[in-house]
Amino acid sequence: MLALAERLALPVRLAHRVGGWLLLVLALVIGYDVVGRKFFDTGSVVLQDLEWHLHGAALLLGFGGAYLKDAHVRVDLLRERLGMRTKARMEVFGILVFMIPYLAILAFFAVEFAVRAYLSGEGSVAGGGLPQRWIIKSFLPLGLVLVVLSALSVLLKCLHYLRDGADISGPFGSRSKSRMTSNRNDLSSESCSTSLKERAESRNQVGPPDCDLL
Amino acid sequence: MLGDYLPILMFASLVLLIFSGLPVAVVLGGISLLFAALGLLLGEIRFVHLPLLVNRIFSGVVSNVVMVAVPMFVVMGTLLEKSGVAEDLLAGLQTLMRRVPGGLALGVTIMGTVLAASTGIIGASVAMLTMLALPMMLQRGYAPKLATGTIAASGTLGILIPPSIMLVIMGDLLTVSVGKLFMAALLPGLLLSVLYMAYIASVSCFRSGMAPASEKPLSAGERALLLHQLAKGFLPPAALIFLVLGSILAGWATPTEAAGVGALGALVLALARGRLSLSGLGQALEQSLTTVAMIFFIFVGATAFSYLFRRFGGEELVLSFVDSSAMGAWTVLGALMVMVFLLGFFFDWIEITLIVLPIFAPILALLDFAGHVDSRDVVYWFAILVALNLQTSFLTPPFGFALFYLKGTAGERVGLGDIYRGIVPFVLVQLIALVVVLAFPEVALWLPKVAFD
């Protein structure tokens, strides 16, 4: 079960990593665009289109990975006080009743949305921008499917935890600590998920603070 | 009919389910799904309405030129943090202000202001300041309540002082210029920072037991080290921040352009300091993406929620309620402010701006503050008031958001009681600033007016 959970998480993590580097590409494109426009009068609609394409693709690739890292904001005022098993049960409920149905339906419409763009040969609205709008539109269903995968992965881990008890690394994280030194990933010793305070404490032991706690 | 109550039921179930501790985005999505089904059954919406949701999400989250600034500001902040400038900055400020009563606390406030300008992420600023400055302050004999109050208050400056990610998102939701919002936020933000420092300085002067100054004079070697630290720690990030903010405020670059260039600048800075390996860069980028994904995933849920809320006539409901209650503009504003304040106990600004603003923004158009604020400027004024209000709310015991972060990071070194007592004077300062901006809207509106008209 855990092996399957890991396998499901693999493409999600890969996408998250690719998305991270896309942010650097985005910064470079903006830099090139700005220098061109301000100094050489060469600004183009293509570059401007490319900027939001990169932004959109990066964050759609990032949604699933953020869930694996348990980075999505929760209001854990009451949750903090619950036992680990209750938390795991809640997560299972949330994934099965809320998350997967909602995302699956959205992904279904998103596929239609991308296919429609492909069939109609939709291009840039501005004219002179990037053609082939269907490419970025297909990132929408892709991103949503990645979140579904991450949800399935966490679901399996929670179920495993509920069945076998404490002896797991926890649904949110099971990677080695050495690779990511100062990240939320270091929740591996904790279980199904952590509260705000626990997060901050775990960061305290790990190293310098991150910008990923809002 | 039941159909008429759908918006109210939606809102009620949101309030209830959000405390389940499930990710807020998931709660929003789940409720939307539930009520979409209910709406279909009751004939309030038709099936053709549902696929339109995807268009909304695409245009709001993906093909949104304004929002491109958000990931870039996050990357810039993360890289600045990785480059270790913060440590150098604090070390330099500490030495520089060793003779001044309360010098270290003043240094923390200055650093909070600089951090605020560079990242705008509360949890990160508070945790970082706690880790760097709290042990130092306690060791130097500062009263725990002064130390913690200073850290929590300085660390929250980030949501107001530009470039604030919150202001970018507010600008998009309220469809106003982000550059103008930044400008409106600058003076109130600096005002707060100055008021904090005035408080710290007066406490340190009159009750020297709370903030002892160091007696030891500097040797020549230490002086040289100090200059070196300041040059290394203060000048590069200050130059970068000045460049980014300056080009936005001068109207020379859009926030997106400035943010992108700022991210590149931070990268150069981190590389130049030799603090960044290739794998470190990859980590920083992934970490940034996690933050960005977290913000925008709520967007996906909130878009679905507010889309259905509107389809069910929620907007008219809110408007007709405000209309029928015959409240004056000031009463409505007051009610909104109280609501935002209370929400700030439990929620971070992300949920508040993304859920509350779309629902209540239409009310803004109805508000008439003739003679006090020009009708064109009400939106900007309101945004700054909300930001100030939220900041206060993050600091207010017992549920202040920033206080939790501080306690979480500090562990057993300080008690929650000290934190609660320490924050009170800073909350009072916040309230003063809020009242000043309420009474004198020019504090926020003067700068954009001068720059744009």
Side-chain angles (χ1 to χ4, degrees):
Chain A
M1 212 145 127
L2 279 183
L4 181 59
E6 274 308 299
R7 206 162 303 154
L8 287 171
L10 212 62
V12 182
R13 291 206 184 110
L14 187 71
H16 191 264
R17 184 162 317 157
V18 172
W21 286 101
L22 284 185
L23 290 182
L24 181 65
V25 179
L26 173 57
L28 291 170
V29 170
I30 294 178
Y32 178 75
D33 185 27
V34 168
V35 171
R37 192 163 4 172
K38 303 292 181 196
F39 300 106
F40 302 103
D41 227 13
T42 60
S44 78
V45 186
V46 172
L47 284 179
Q48 302 243 297
D49 267 3
L50 187 59
E51 282 162 23
W52 68 255
H53 272 68
L54 284 167
H55 156 83
L59 66 94
L60 286 168
L61 291 176
F63 285 156
Y67 184 60
L68 283 184
K69 292 183 183 185
D70 190 24
H72 288 306
V73 182
R74 301 164 184 268
V75 177
D76 37 17
L77 219 62
L78 300 175
R79 189 167 175 272
E80 265 189 326
R81 295 177 196 163
L82 300 176
M84 214 44 93
R85 295 188 73 80
T86 320
K87 278 188 200 167
R89 281 197 200 101
M90 293 270 284
E91 203 69 20
V92 169
F93 172 84
I95 290 171
L96 286 178
V97 178
F98 281 3
M99 211 168 163
I100 292 184
Y102 167 65
L103 291 169
I105 290 177
L106 216 53
F108 173 76
F109 289 136
V111 170
E112 257 187 351
F113 178 68
V115 167
R116 217 177 319 130
Y118 178 73
L119 292 179
S120 67
E122 189 188 344
S124 167
V125 202
L130 282 179
Q132 313 287 345
R133 200 40 56 93
W134 64 273
I135 298 177
I136 182 65
K137 287 195 170 177
S138 349
F139 273 91
L140 196 56
L142 176 66
L144 292 169
V145 168
L146 285 169
V147 190
V148 173
L149 285 183
S150 71
L152 287 173
S153 172
V154 173
L155 176 70
L156 286 178
K157 285 186 186 173
C158 278
L159 288 175
H160 182 266
Y161 171 75
L162 287 172
R163 206 187 54 189
D164 286 4
D167 186 35
I168 60 154
S169 53
F172 290 110
S174 57
R175 272 145 300 163
S176 65
K177 273 195 174 186
S178 54
R179 214 178 64 227
M180 298 288 222
T181 46
S182 67
N183 212 323
R184 181 87 51 82
N185 303 338
D186 286 300
L187 297 178
S188 40
S189 58
E190 294 159 41
S191 205
C192 200
S193 158
T194 41
S195 71
L196 201 71
K197 263 190 238 166
E198 285 165 350
R199 274 181 212 165
E201 272 157 18
S202 78
R203 291 149 48 82
N204 197 14
Q205 296 148 8
V206 177
D210 306 328
C211 281
D212 61 356
L213 273 172
L214 271 129
Chain B
M1 255 313 287
L2 183 61
D4 299 334
Y5 294 106
L6 280 182
I8 300 175
L9 285 175
M10 249 183 119
F11 201 72
S13 31
L14 174 66
V15 171
L16 219 66
L17 283 170
I18 212 163
F19 285 103
S20 67
L22 293 168
V24 174
V26 170
V27 172
L28 284 164
I31 290 176
S32 307
L33 184 68
L34 205 76
F35 278 85
L38 213 58
L40 283 174
L41 279 177
L42 294 173
E44 288 288 314
I45 50 170
R46 284 180 300 134
F47 190 76
V48 288
H49 289 139
L50 295 184
L52 289 178
L53 181 55
V54 175
N55 294 41
R56 287 293 177 92
I57 291 175
F58 186 79
S59 60
V61 177
V62 180
S63 68
N64 188 331
V65 186
V66 179
M67 290 298 185
V68 179
V70 174
M72 290 298 93
F73 279 133
V74 173
V75 169
M76 176 178 152
T78 311
L79 285 174
L80 271 185
E81 176 217 313
K82 292 265 177 222
S83 69
V85 284
E87 285 97 331
D88 285 0
L89 183 59
L90 189 68
L93 287 171
Q94 186 205 355
T95 332
L96 189 71
M97 298 198 169
R98 53 192 292 139
R99 305 296 295 277
V100 183
L104 190 49
L106 292 174
V108 169
T109 307
I110 294 178
M111 209 168 102
T113 311
V114 174
L115 280 181
S118 65
T119 63
I121 298 173
I122 307 301
S125 311
V126 172
M128 184 188 232
L129 286 177
T130 306
M131 237 173 282
L132 291 175
L134 187 65
M136 214 188 277
M137 288 169 98
L138 294 179
Q139 187 204 334
R140 289 270 298 274
Y142 275 68
K145 54 181 183 177
L146 180 64
T148 53
T150 306
I151 289 173
S154 309
T156 41
L157 279 170
I159 61 169
L160 186 58
I161 294 186
S164 143
I165 296 171
M166 186 181 87
L167 291 179
V168 176
I169 290 177
M170 273 188 152
D172 183 72
L173 289 176
L174 298 169
T175 54
V176 294
S177 144
V178 175
K180 211 168 156 186
L181 259 189
F182 275 7
M183 229 177 269
L186 194 63
L187 284 184
L190 291 179
L191 171 73
L192 259 186
S193 168
V194 168
L195 285 177
Y196 285 166
M197 288 201 256
Y199 165 73
I200 295 168
S202 52
V203 161
S204 312
C205 284
F206 296 120
R207 302 183 54 188
S208 55
M210 281 177 79
S214 167
E215 299 298 328
K216 224 171 54 189
L218 280 182
S219 71
E222 279 174 321
R223 214 178 289 267
L225 183 70
L226 169 67
L227 282 178
H228 182 68
Q229 273 171 336
L230 277 181
K232 238 178 65 181
F234 188 74
L235 288 181
L240 183 67
I241 291 159
F242 182 78
L243 203 78
V244 167
L245 266 187
S247 60
I248 298 174
L249 297 185
W252 193 69
T254 64
T256 304
E257 291 170 339
V261 174
L264 287 180
L267 177 65
V268 171
L269 207 71
L271 289 175
R273 293 166 63 91
R275 294 284 184 89
L276 204 60
S277 60
L278 193 65
S279 71
L281 176 61
Q283 254 179 49
L285 289 171
E286 277 202 54
Q287 197 178 307
S288 310
L289 181 62
T290 306
T291 304
V292 176
M294 182 200 87
I295 297 173
F296 283 95
F297 200 49
I298 299 187
F299 232 107
V300 173
T303 307
F305 185 89
S306 52
Y307 174 69
L308 282 171
F309 188 82
R310 284 205 193 115
R311 275 261 167 243
F312 292 145
E315 205 162 305
E316 290 87 22
L317 203 71
V318 172
L319 285 179
S320 69
F321 173 74
V322 173
D323 242 15
S324 67
S325 63
M327 290 190 283
W330 284 101
T331 322
V332 175
L333 182 71
L336 280 176
M337 283 291 141
V338 169
M339 195 174 73
V340 169
F341 183 75
L342 293 178
L343 287 171
F345 284 167
F346 309 103
F347 307 120
D348 205 345
W349 60 262
I350 311 172
E351 295 101 307
I352 298 175
T353 41
L354 286 180
I355 299 170
V356 173
L357 276 190
I359 293 177
F360 292 98
I363 301 179
L364 277 181
L366 296 181
L367 299 186
D368 179 22
F369 294 94
H372 194 65
V373 180
D374 200 284
S375 62
R376 284 174 309 157
D377 292 332
V378 169
V379 180
Y380 295 97
W381 184 52
F382 177 78
I384 302 305
L385 287 177
V386 169
L388 271 170
N389 190 343
L390 277 179
Q391 225 169 323
T392 319
S393 163
F394 289 155
L395 297 176
T396 317
F399 298 121
F401 222 75
L403 307 182
F404 285 146
Y405 272 108
L406 201 159
K407 176 65 182 150
T409 317
E412 295 309 308
R413 269 171 292 195
V414 284
L416 207 53
D418 280 326
I419 297 180
Y420 285 172
R421 271 194 302 277
I423 202 65
V424 172
F426 290 95
V427 170
L428 292 179
V429 166
Q430 290 269 173
L431 289 177
I432 293 173
L434 187 62
V435 170
V436 166
V437 178
L438 264 173
F440 307 101
E442 297 80 22
V443 176
L445 300 175
W446 175 76
L447 197 59
K449 201 170 288 168
V450 174
F452 280 96
D453 297 342

